[in-house]
Amino acid sequence: LLPEQLSASFAKKVLFAGSAVRVFGQSMGRPVYKAEQETEFLDRLQKIEESPELYLLHLEAFVEDVRSAAAAHLWQLFVEEGCLLSQLRLLRDAYLLGRGELFLHFSQKAERLLCRPRAATTEHEVNEIFQQACSLLQSEDENLAEQFRITVGPPLSTQDSTQTPLAGWETIGLNYKVTWPLHVFFTPAILSKYSRLFRLLFGVQRAQTFLQECWLLQCKVARTGPLQDCPLVRRMMQLRSEMAHLLDSLQYYLQVDVIESQLGRLLSRVKETRDFEAIQHVHNSYLASLLTDSMLMLQPVHECFRAILGMSQSFHAIFPTSKSPLTQRQFSQFETIEKDFQCQKQLLLKVLSSLHNKLSEAQPSQLLLRLDSSYRSPCATDSA
């Protein structure tokens, strides 16, 4: 227990400085404090001890100076020697799909494995595909294949055998090989947040791919003759266009409005702030903003996203490859997808509008603006 005069923040500063000396100074054989700093701190501490009265402000100023010196040393250790900035960019390339073309290639090659529940060899096989994608598309100075491994979680989230098994892409993740001393910065809790973002972004990219493949099939059908006499095909084309507009707007919002803007601020502040605790706080705020602005923390919005991503795959599975009529089963599936998509789209717009009106938050407003503009714009893709 602390004396009443000392605050919890005071105790945290003492703990941080002591931990820095114990973890990094002793283990590395390199002192956290320079000799002249130690001499100065010892002299100041002795004066505080010998003073007939304890001046709390003097003690707090002393502890803050000790903490600041340790934080500056760790900043140098992590940022300059540990190459933190390059690692943050690497995590952006992988977890946040900065290297989208690499993960697109991987997704297309691994689709056969990821569309099914995980088997005993699934994770090994998808990592072979990931290694091949990295070898093909990464530059010589990149090391994605060395520092990342694809993980595929269990097909069931609980032991309840009555649940429908989850497909591999629904449980996909990335395992990042953290090098010393960055394990202190990129903790398991931090990496789990990156993984949540990765699953969302990977799912959006995968759904976009399905709809792009539908567009190619649509072009193939169009080459066989006019589509005016195929009302159902035109109806399916319209639905594909609406779904593609929504996903393209969402993907642009996530990558440009959320990730790029936040990442730029993060890197600038890490370079400018020569304080380890400060950059930890900045990075935690960065991740919190990404999770909030991507709507992952809002269950209704997240459920809408998941439903629409799943519909893209279902729609791709029944999209016609010719003008031959759909079977009754395919037609029923199409009507269900069409109805469900309209419901989810309206629900998404309603929730975002409600957030904008009640909270006046910038990001729901920005996403709402992009979605609204996409539905007001003409379907240029299909008319091209």
Side-chain angles (χ1 to χ4, degrees):
L1 295 177
L2 288 172
E4 292 181 359
Q5 296 87 345
L6 301 180
S7 64
S9 62
F10 175 91
K12 289 179 180 178
K13 292 176 182 180
V14 174
L15 179 62
F16 171 78
S19 299
V21 171
R22 181 175 59 84
V23 175
F24 295 100
Q26 295 176 357
S27 63
M28 294 184 64
R30 190 175 69 179
V32 171
Y33 301 106
K34 298 177 182 178
E36 57 269 25
Q37 285 179 317
E38 287 189 354
T39 301
E40 177 195 345
F41 291 150
L42 286 172
D43 289 344
R44 288 175 61 184
L45 182 59
Q46 187 174 3
K47 289 179 181 179
I48 292 173
E49 288 178 336
E50 293 174 351
S51 175
E53 293 186 32
L54 176 61
Y55 293 98
L56 194 56
L57 289 177
H58 292 175
L59 180 61
E60 289 178 344
F62 167 74
V63 169
E64 172 57 25
D65 289 345
V66 172
R67 186 212 67 82
S68 296
H73 173 82
L74 293 189
W75 181 92
Q76 182 180 19
L77 177 64
F78 279 78
V79 177
E80 295 183 348
E81 299 179 28
C83 302
L84 178 61
L85 290 171
S86 65
Q87 291 301 302
L88 287 170
R89 293 189 184 96
L90 186 67
L91 264 63
R92 191 269 183 267
D93 287 345
Y95 281 108
L96 306 181
L97 266 61
R99 291 299 310 274
E101 76 287 358
L102 188 152
F103 283 94
L104 176 61
H105 180 82
F106 162 75
S107 174
Q108 292 172 333
K109 296 296 183 181
E111 176 59 30
R112 178 183 59 83
L113 296 167
L114 293 176
C115 68
R116 303 193 301 260
R118 187 186 73 169
T121 60
T122 299
E123 193 163 289
H124 173 73
E125 292 179 55
V126 297
N127 273 287
E128 286 188 339
I129 296 172
F130 180 65
Q131 294 283 334
Q132 293 168 5
C134 290
S135 299
L136 182 65
L137 295 173
Q138 72 178 8
S139 59
E140 293 182 359
D141 59 341
E142 288 183 306
N143 58 351
L144 285 171
E146 296 177 8
Q147 290 198 253
F148 293 94
R149 177 178 173 81
I150 301 292
T151 62
V152 182
L156 294 176
S157 57
T158 69
Q159 298 301 316
D160 185 1
S161 59
T162 62
Q163 283 187 313
T164 302
L166 298 174
W169 73 270
E170 293 183 276
T171 61
I172 194 170
L174 273 180
N175 185 7
Y176 169 52
K177 183 181 178 182
V178 189
T179 56
W180 193 95
L182 295 178
H183 66 287
V184 175
F185 196 86
F186 297 118
T187 63
I190 290 292
L191 294 179
S192 69
K193 295 177 182 178
Y194 274 106
S195 290
R196 291 187 66 185
L197 291 161
F198 172 75
R199 276 190 288 273
L200 172 63
L201 294 165
F202 185 78
V204 171
Q205 184 190 66
R206 181 173 176 271
Q208 286 179 296
T209 302
F210 282 131
L211 295 177
Q212 288 162 4
E213 290 177 0
C214 288
W215 182 80
L216 293 175
L217 292 173
Q218 172 185 316
C219 293
K220 179 181 177 181
V221 173
R223 284 196 294 269
T224 65
L227 296 175
Q228 284 73 13
D229 56 343
C230 301
L232 180 58
V233 173
R234 286 189 283 113
R235 192 170 148 193
M236 296 184 78
M237 288 165 51
Q238 177 63 30
L239 178 59
R240 188 215 68 84
S241 178
E242 286 191 43
M243 296 175 77
H245 274 307
L246 187 149
L247 289 176
D248 290 348
S249 299
L250 175 60
Q251 190 265 352
Y252 188 89
Y253 163 78
L254 291 171
Q255 290 292 346
V256 178
D257 297 333
V258 176
I259 295 173
E260 283 304 318
S261 62
Q262 295 283 356
L263 181 66
R265 287 194 288 269
L266 170 68
L267 296 178
S268 296
R269 295 187 67 181
V270 168
K271 285 187 285 188
E272 296 167 358
T273 308
R274 303 183 69 86
D275 185 306
F276 176 75
E277 282 195 305
I279 63 174
Q280 270 191 315
H281 176 72
V282 168
H283 183 246
N284 288 337
S285 298
Y286 160 75
L287 273 180
S289 295
L290 292 186
L291 289 169
T292 300
D293 294 345
S294 65
M295 314 297 168
L296 278 171
M297 309 303 290
L298 295 171
Q299 192 66 19
V301 177
H302 187 212
E303 289 301 322
C304 283
F305 289 165
R306 286 193 61 189
I308 292 170
L309 298 183
M311 287 177 208
S312 301
Q313 180 179 2
S314 301
F315 184 67
H316 175 266
I318 64 168
F319 202 86
T321 57
S322 68
K323 289 186 178 180
S324 301
L326 297 180
T327 65
Q328 184 60 43
R329 181 181 178 184
Q330 287 176 314
F331 182 73
S332 298
Q333 288 176 320
F334 166 69
E335 287 196 316
T336 299
I337 294 170
E338 185 180 44
K339 178 182 176 181
D340 289 348
F341 174 73
Q342 296 301 330
C343 289
Q344 292 295 335
K345 181 186 75 173
Q346 294 304 322
L347 177 59
L348 178 61
L349 294 174
K350 183 177 180 180
V351 172
L352 292 175
S353 297
S354 177
L355 285 172
H356 172 60
N357 294 333
K358 291 181 179 179
L359 304 178
S360 298
E361 292 185 359
Q363 293 309 89
S365 175
Q366 185 65 34
L367 177 56
L368 186 62
L369 178 64
R370 294 204 179 280
L371 292 175
D372 279 347
S373 63
S374 73
Y375 289 122
R376 285 196 295 267
S377 64
C379 300
T381 304
D382 290 328
S383 61

